[in-house]
Amino acid sequence: NLDSRQSEGIEQKPGEFGAPAWSPDGRRVAYVVHGPDDDSLWTADAQGEARQFVTTLPDGGSLSWSPDGARLGYLSGAHPDAPFGFLATYDLAARVETVLARGPLVAFFWSPDGKRIAYITADTGKSQLVWHVAEVIGGQERVISTFAPTAHLDFLLDFFDQYALSMSFWSPDSRHLVYPALGNGETLSPGGAPTFGDVVYVAPADGSAPPRAIAGGRFASWSRK
């Protein structure tokens, strides 16, 4: 509390997770608690009280609220080829968990309208990553792009849940994704030389067209509006 300069602890032993996540309205915080068998996901109010158990998270996880605060999204579960084994959402009102994807999962990002989640898997056979977009309701999924990340993106993905608070790969209208990757020999300007270095791509989130290289660049983010 900045006025009283006092802090209040949540007296539950922390589990394995990236970072606590505040709800969009700032009224609740989500975090992971260590248990005798598995870690578990909880929420509490801003004073660390009114605690509510959400779901079990085997092997800990990384979490993020939907833009409207109605759902929590999280990665959890072990996988031999990636940090996580499954992606799920939890409807806090209906108290229903929905698993959206399984496999070698790396990161995920809510669309601004909260209707879709863009997530990244590891293609270990090709030493590349893959963008997917899944519908939150219904779970319909599509592959957007297979790519080799730039060094800057590779670093961000280790802490994606924290970076997602201040930057967005999603366009404000939830129709496109922007991301940096190693080029595939595109010519970025008339008469220019093919590039295999760091390139910024824009891709339609519905998969209706292939990603388009727009500029050279190590990193990219969309404005919030």
Side-chain angles (χ1 to χ4, degrees), residues 22-95:
W22 283 98
S23 61
D25 62 7
R27 298 178 62 183
R28 298 194 68 78
V29 62
Y31 54 96
V32 178
V33 172
H34 179 68
D37 298 316
D38 286 316
D39 287 348
S40 54
L41 177 59
W42 290 68
T43 67
D45 64 18
Q47 288 72 46
E49 301 174 353
R51 302 168 192 164
Q52 294 182 1
F53 169 81
V54 177
T55 186
T56 299
L57 286 187
D59 304 296
S62 289
L63 45 135
S64 177
W65 293 79
S66 64
D68 62 2
R71 291 176 171 83
L72 275 165
Y74 40 90
L75 288 172
S76 188
H79 195 282
D81 299 317
F84 304 102
F86 72 86
L87 166 65
T89 63
Y90 191 90
D91 186 316
L92 293 161
R95 304 194 69 80

Side-chain angles (χ1 to χ4, degrees), residues 99-113:
V99 176
L100 294 180
R102 297 186 185 274
L105 287 144
V106 177
F108 77 95
F109 305 90
W110 286 95
S111 64
D113 63 10

Side-chain angles (χ1 to χ4, degrees), residues 2-3 10 13 17 21 26 28 30 35 44-45 47 73-74 88 99 115-116 144 148 153 168 173 176 180 182 214 224:
L2 296 178
D3 294 327
I10 297 176
K13 186 177 180 180
F17 70 113
R28 298 194 68 78
D45 64 18
Q47 288 72 46
Y74 40 90
V99 176
K115 295 179 179 179
R116 290 180 284 185
I144 303 302
L153 177 59
S168 178
D173 60 8
H176 293 83
L182 299 185
I214 62 170
R224 290 292 186 179

